[in-house]
Amino acid sequence: PPGMRVGGGHQGQSCDEVCAHSKMNCSADGLRVTPVNTCASIERFLGIKCGRCDIDRSHPAFPGHWPGKGCFINYLHDPALMPTCAAKDPRWRRLCPCVPPVT
């Protein structure tokens, strides 16, 4: 999406919370695009090393990093488990696509 910036939050934050901290909005579409939904992006934007990259699962809080377990990207095949901006899990640091607010 135009004007998208990718950023990472603290463990347990939703992407809505991460983006709001920068006075931006989470882009649900951005959660599904290749520049965000990859382990390389998780490493780059969260400043971590994945160690392990899991692409065989889906969870509304993916893509993200679970400290001690590795990085997880969303498989994007289960409509019920597509990533959402509101999803959060106390175990995860999420990678979030943020866009400027619509004026």
Side-chain angles (χ1 to χ4, degrees):
M4 184 175 81
R5 288 192 337 206
V6 178
H10 297 289
Q11 204 165 326
Q13 284 186 307
S14 72
C15 283
D16 282 334
E17 293 167 334
V18 171
C19 294
H21 184 74
S22 300
K23 297 185 178 18
M24 298 182 86
N25 296 324
C26 174
S27 168
D29 290 338
L31 286 166
R32 298 177 184 98
V33 297
T34 300
V36 176
N37 196 35
T38 67
C39 285
S41 291
I42 294 170
E43 288 183 332
R44 177 178 171 208
F45 291 106
L46 294 185
I48 54 96
K49 289 290 181 196
C50 290
R52 175 178 152 224
C53 181
D54 191 332
I55 60 169
D56 294 330
R57 303 180 195 190
S58 291
H59 187 284
F62 291 174
H65 177 247
W66 183 355
K69 300 286 185 178
C71 295
F72 295 80
I73 62 172
N74 197 301
Y75 195 50
L76 301 175
H77 287 283
D78 186 343
L81 296 173
M82 287 296 187
T84 68
C85 291
K88 59 183 170 180
D89 186 299
R91 301 169 291 186
W92 298 97
R93 279 189 70 201
R94 294 197 65 192
L95 186 63
C96 303
C98 304
V99 293
V102 177
T103 54

